[in-house]
């Protein structure tokens, strides 16, 4: 521990050129980002990425503030999120605000955004906003706040803090940490040297109990990515979710979990706690334009029961396998992906919602939670200001009835069936679902990602047993992902 801290301190003193600007957290066509580079110093599975220390400049579209005569600059621009959804009912959201982005020298970077408006929406059309104030039974006033501050003392270290999402992985989904949920408070450090990047992430999470009382909890995560070769990347992930206060003890933020050294499980045993510890490994293999990737997340498991195929309830793990590639034909850019995700029942859940791998009643990893198998295909196309996307997915998922069958990760795994063995994916109220959508968009102002879009969705599942067709249209500033693929 002391040697590690000493090494960090020495790196911080090195007088190296730093790049401190961050890319926006967007799922764009990968060849437009560094995602397919063959570079042993570049790690493509940590988002948002650290990019060149520059800001867009177009005085016709943005208010630019130059501080003194130095290279300090702040850009302020209006942002919007307007959408209309037509199905059996008509839903809408109308939000507007502003975003500010600034660089201060080559080491400091900051950005903040504020959106305020009203929304009448359900399920996947709801925005993942920070604050929600009901106006009536179907209409809500919403405020979305996001921001982060970045400091890079040199080319090896980057420190960040703020209120935003993160993403770890190569897939459309992530079994480690995704940005499908609501933004949260965080602090992180990234150390990049030789062929290794090490991420230390601390998150401040919230839940509500049955009495609608707020519960604070924390998560501490480590992720180390190693570029073994130009074509092979291997990563190790671990995370622990813990509550600062329970019926026996008021612990506060557990100082032991600030330890940047892997692993958390021995530390948890040393503390005598029952915190929720998860461990994962991932890998990426790049062969020319083909990228094979996968993740394995382990919550709890017993190797003897896995070998014996007893289907023990506490064998909780998740698996992802995928393939992606891209092609460019003249001015047309294409991206293709096929991916499979399998998550066993009760994975990510724990003894209470204060220890589950969730934030504000939403999963921190895959949006379907647990107890499911999913296969998806997506194709993206881009030509200058035009983009298109075709997405198709099939899902098998089990839901709870009076008992907990392991699909809802916010529900404690206590009220489960009496038999501890024979638990399979899709147990409980089984549902087979098919989802396909086509999306076409046009960049109204490309530099600031202001985009007009139209979407057509088709959904079918065996619970409703009736197909659903939906049409969406709108215009929004694409400063973060707005998922509708689940």
């Amino acid at each position: 521990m002391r040697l590690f801290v000493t090494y960090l301190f020495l790196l911080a003193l090195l007088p190296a050129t730093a790049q401190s600007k961050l890319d926006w957290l967007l799922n764009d066509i990968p060849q437009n980002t560094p995602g397919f580079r063959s570079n042993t110093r570049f790690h493509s599975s940590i988002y948002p990425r650290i990019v060149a220390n520059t800001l867009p400049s177009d005085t016709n579209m943005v208010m630019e503030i130059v501080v003194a005569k130095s290279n300090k600059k702040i850009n302020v621009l209006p942002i919007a999120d307007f959408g209309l959804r037509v199905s059996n009912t008509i839903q809408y959201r109308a939000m507007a605000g502003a975003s500010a982005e600034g660089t201060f020298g080559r080491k400091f970077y900051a950005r903040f955004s504020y959106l305020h408006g009203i929304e009448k929406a359900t399920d996947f059309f709801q925005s993942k906003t920070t604050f929600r104030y009901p106006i009536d039974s179907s209409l809500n006033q919403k405020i979305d706040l996001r921001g982060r501050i970045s400091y890079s003392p040199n080319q090896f270290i980057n420190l960040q803090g703020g209120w935003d999402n993160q993403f770890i992985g190569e897939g459309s989904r992530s079994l480690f940490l995704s940005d499908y949920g609501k933004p949260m408070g965080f602090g992180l450090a990234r150390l990049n040297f030789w062929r290794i990047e090490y991420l230390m992430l601390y998150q401040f999470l919230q839940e509500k109990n049955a009495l609608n009382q707020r519960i604070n909890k924390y998560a501490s995560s480590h992720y180390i990515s190693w570029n073994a070769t130009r074509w092979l990347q291997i990563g190790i992930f671990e995370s622990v979710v813990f509550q600062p206060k329970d019926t026996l003890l008021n612990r506060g933020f557990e100082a032991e979990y600030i330890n940047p050294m892997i692993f958390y499980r021995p530390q948890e045993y040393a503390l005598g706690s029952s915190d929720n510890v998860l461990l994962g490994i991932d890998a990426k293999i790049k062969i020319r334009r083909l990228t094979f990737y996968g993740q394995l997340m382990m919550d709890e498991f017993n190797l003897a029961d896995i070998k014996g195929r007893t289907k023990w309830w506490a064998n909780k793990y998740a698996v992802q396998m995928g393939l992606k590639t891209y092609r460019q034909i003249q001015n047309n850019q294409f991206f293709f992906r096929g991916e499979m995700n399998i998550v066993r029942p009760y994975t990510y859940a724990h003894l209470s919602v204060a220890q589950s791998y969730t934030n504000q009643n939403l999963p921190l990893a895959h949006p379907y939670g647990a107890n499911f198998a999913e296969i998806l295909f997506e194709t993206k196309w881009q030509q200058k200001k035009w983009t298109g996307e075709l997405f198709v997915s099939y899902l098998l998922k089990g839901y709870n009835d009076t008992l907990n069958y392991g699909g809802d990760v916010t529900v404690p795994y206590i009220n489960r069936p009496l038999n501890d063995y024979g638990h399979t994916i899709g147990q409980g109220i089984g549902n087979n679902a098919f989802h396909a959508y086509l999306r076409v968009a046009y960049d109204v102002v490309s530099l600031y990602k202001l985009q007009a879009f139209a979407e057509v969705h088709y959904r079918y599942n065996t619970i409703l047993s009736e197909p659903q067709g939906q049409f969406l249209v709108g215009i929004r500033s694409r400063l973060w992902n707005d998922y509708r693929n689940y």
Side-chain angles (χ1 to χ4, degrees):
M1 172 66 181
R2 292 181 179 178
L3 289 176
F4 186 82
V5 174
T6 302
Y7 184 56
L8 284 177
F9 179 73
L10 292 176
L11 283 177
L13 296 179
L14 292 177
T17 301
Q19 302 290 338
S20 61
K21 187 180 181 295
L22 304 173
D23 200 0
W24 294 99
L25 186 55
L26 285 169
N27 187 16
D28 286 323
I29 294 181
Q31 69 267 25
N32 291 338
T33 68
F36 279 85
R37 290 181 181 173
S38 295
N39 186 335
T40 56
R41 287 295 305 276
F42 176 75
H43 300 263
S44 59
S45 56
I46 303 176
Y47 297 82
R49 298 188 176 107
I50 301 174
V51 295
N53 192 357
T54 57
L55 289 178
S57 180
D58 186 344
T59 54
N60 293 325
M61 303 304 300
V62 67
M63 180 174 66
E64 182 177 295
I65 303 172
V66 179
V67 183
K69 296 182 179 180
S70 65
N71 58 348
K72 302 175 183 178
K73 184 170 65 174
I74 301 174
N75 285 341
V76 181
L77 66 149
I79 57 177
D81 185 4
F82 297 94
L84 178 69
R85 173 187 180 185
V86 180
S87 56
N88 296 331
T89 60
I90 295 179
Q91 300 183 0
Y92 61 88
R93 64 193 199 196
M95 303 179 69
S99 174
E101 184 181 16
T103 57
F104 307 90
R106 297 187 61 84
K107 296 183 178 182
F108 285 96
Y109 166 80
R111 69 165 176 252
F112 301 93
S113 65
Y114 173 84
L115 271 173
H116 189 185
I118 57 175
E119 178 181 85
K120 181 180 181 181
T122 58
D123 50 69
F124 68 90
F125 191 52
Q126 285 185 319
S127 57
K128 301 298 190 297
T129 51
T130 307
F131 302 103
R132 172 180 174 270
Y133 306 98
I135 297 176
D136 57 35
S137 59
S138 61
L139 188 64
N140 295 287
Q141 179 184 181
K142 290 203 170 185
I143 298 176
D144 191 299
L145 291 173
R146 298 170 192 258
R148 62 176 70 221
I149 299 173
S150 169
Y151 172 64
S152 297
N154 53 57
Q155 62 181 334
F156 301 102
I157 295 178
N158 174 255
L159 306 176
Q160 297 177 38
W163 188 272
D164 207 347
N165 293 101
Q166 330 291 326
F167 189 98
I168 299 177
E170 295 287 339
S172 175
R173 322 289 200 190
S174 175
L175 303 181
F176 294 173
L177 179 64
S178 74
D179 58 332
Y180 281 87
K182 297 182 180 181
M184 67 207 72
F186 74 92
L188 68 82
R190 295 172 63 167
L191 172 64
N192 190 317
F193 66 97
W194 187 52
R195 298 185 176 190
I196 292 175
E197 181 157 9
Y198 190 31
L199 169 68
M200 294 163 282
L201 174 64
Y202 307 102
Q203 297 164 292
F204 303 88
L205 313 175
Q206 291 183 2
E207 300 291 355
K208 287 188 177 181
N209 59 19
L211 301 176
N212 204 34
Q213 297 172 329
R214 188 177 68 180
I215 300 174
N216 293 320
K217 63 181 184 180
Y218 305 109
S220 179
S221 305
H222 297 157
Y223 178 70
I224 183 168
S225 174
W226 174 44
N227 287 328
T229 67
R230 287 181 177 270
W231 55 269
L232 175 62
Q233 178 179 325
I234 301 172
I236 300 176
F237 174 83
E238 64 166 352
S239 184
V240 57
V241 180
F242 58 99
Q243 55 182 329
K245 184 179 181 179
D246 55 29
T247 56
L248 298 177
L249 183 65
N250 187 359
R251 298 191 293 172
F253 190 93
E254 199 67 72
E256 285 81 357
Y257 290 140
I258 302 178
N259 186 338
M261 303 301 291
I262 295 174
F263 292 99
Y264 286 132
R265 182 67 75 182
Q267 192 67 55
E268 181 204 16
Y269 285 146
L271 292 171
S273 71
S274 58
D275 299 328
N276 191 6
V277 176
L278 303 104
L279 177 65
I281 58 174
D282 67 356
K284 179 187 75 171
I285 299 174
K286 184 178 181 301
I287 304 175
R288 295 185 178 179
R289 293 185 177 181
L290 294 175
T291 299
F292 300 86
Y293 61 90
Q295 290 183 332
L296 171 63
M297 173 67 88
M298 295 170 287
D299 191 343
E300 297 179 41
F301 70 97
N302 184 296
L303 186 58
D305 282 305
I306 292 178
K307 289 182 177 180
R309 299 182 179 180
T310 63
K311 301 174 184 176
W312 184 42
W313 78 273
N315 276 334
K316 302 185 293 181
Y317 56 86
V319 179
Q320 178 186 89
M321 292 184 290
L323 168 65
K324 58 185 179 181
T325 185
Y326 72 92
R327 293 290 186 271
Q328 181 164 348
I329 304 175
Q330 296 180 349
N331 292 327
N332 297 280
Q333 298 174 353
F334 296 92
F335 169 73
F336 307 93
R337 184 200 304 274
E339 182 176 299
M340 179 181 68
N341 296 285
I342 299 174
V343 182
R344 285 269 301 165
Y346 308 106
T347 305
Y348 303 112
H350 209 62
L351 293 170
S352 73
V353 70
Q355 297 164 307
S356 63
Y357 196 62
T358 58
N359 177 51
Q360 298 189 55
N361 206 42
L362 294 172
L364 285 173
H366 198 290
Y368 288 131
N371 191 16
F372 72 88
E374 174 198 40
I375 184 169
L376 64 87
F377 300 93
E378 63 177 334
T379 299
K380 296 181 181 181
W381 158 79
Q382 181 172 358
Q383 183 190 57
K384 296 182 179 179
K385 293 188 174 184
W386 288 95
T387 58
E389 180 179 2
L390 174 64
F391 180 93
V392 179
S393 70
Y394 167 77
L395 171 72
L396 167 64
K397 180 173 172 62
Y399 294 89
N400 297 339
D401 51 22
T402 56
L403 295 177
N404 180 10
Y405 287 96
D408 188 344
V409 297
T410 65
V411 177
Y413 51 60
I414 300 172
N415 184 32
R416 61 180 186 273
L418 295 177
N419 191 352
D420 285 344
Y421 298 93
H423 292 265
T424 59
I425 292 174
Q427 66 182 11
I429 302 176
N431 184 37
N432 292 271
F434 174 80
H435 177 207
Y437 78 82
L438 177 66
R439 183 179 193 272
V440 179
Y442 178 78
D443 290 342
V444 180
V445 184
S446 302
L447 192 60
Y448 306 113
K449 302 182 183 295
L450 184 63
Q451 191 177 79
F453 66 89
E455 299 178 9
V456 178
H457 290 251
Y458 174 85
R459 294 174 181 268
Y460 176 83
N461 66 71
T462 53
I463 292 181
L464 296 177
S465 70
E466 290 184 3
Q468 291 182 326
Q470 302 175 9
F471 177 72
L472 291 85
V473 64
I475 183 169
R476 67 181 297 266
S477 302
R478 294 187 64 245
L479 303 184
W480 52 84
N481 288 318
D482 183 30
Y483 294 107
R484 285 187 279 272
N485 58 4
Y486 64 99

